[in-house]
Amino acid sequence: MSDENVNERQEDEKEKAEAPEPDFFTQFMFGRQLPVHSEKTSEKNKQDEQSDYQKIFEQVDDIVTKLSELKPIIKEIKPFVNQIKKLFKN
């Protein structure tokens, strides 16, 4: 693990230790409260989202490129597929 991950984990543990546990009634009425994330966590999430979008766009680009390469083959196969469809249609 990197030093940043270790430091973040230690900070999260400190925050959990400092936060008081709500009493039974509060948990029953309002549910468990999610911990408040620091700015570092939100910045890291934004970077992860941006990298996810970048990966998605790269994959879509790859798919479009492959389809354009396969287009001539699909044109050659189309008459055969049409003949098979006619056989099953009758």
Side-chain angles (χ1 to χ4, degrees):
M1 273 193 224
S2 67
D3 292 335
E4 292 177 8
N5 290 341
V6 173
N7 289 339
E8 287 179 17
R9 190 175 280 173
Q10 288 174 349
E11 288 176 10
D12 290 340
E13 290 174 2
K14 286 179 184 177
E15 288 176 5
K16 288 179 185 177
E18 292 174 1
E21 283 291 318
D23 61 302
F24 174 77
F25 180 76
T26 305
Q27 285 183 355
F28 179 74
M29 292 300 291
F30 303 108
R32 290 199 160 203
Q33 299 294 323
L34 297 175
V36 178
H37 297 290
S38 65
E39 292 179 16
K40 292 180 184 178
T41 306
S42 63
E43 289 175 12
K44 186 175 181 182
N45 288 342
K46 287 180 184 178
Q47 290 175 352
D48 289 344
E49 287 177 9
Q50 289 175 351
S51 65
D52 289 343
Y53 286 129
Q54 185 177 4
K55 288 178 184 177
I56 290 171
F57 286 128
E58 288 174 0
Q59 289 176 348
V60 169
D61 185 48
D62 288 342
I63 291 170
V64 170
T65 303
K66 298 298 179 188
L67 283 174
S68 66
E69 291 174 359
L70 290 173
K71 195 170 184 177
I73 295 172
I74 294 172
K75 284 184 179 181
E76 290 179 12
I77 294 175
K78 189 173 179 178
F80 297 112
V81 173
N82 287 336
Q83 287 180 354
I84 293 172
K85 284 170 53 176
K86 284 182 185 179
L87 287 175
F88 286 108
K89 194 173 188 180
N90 292 332

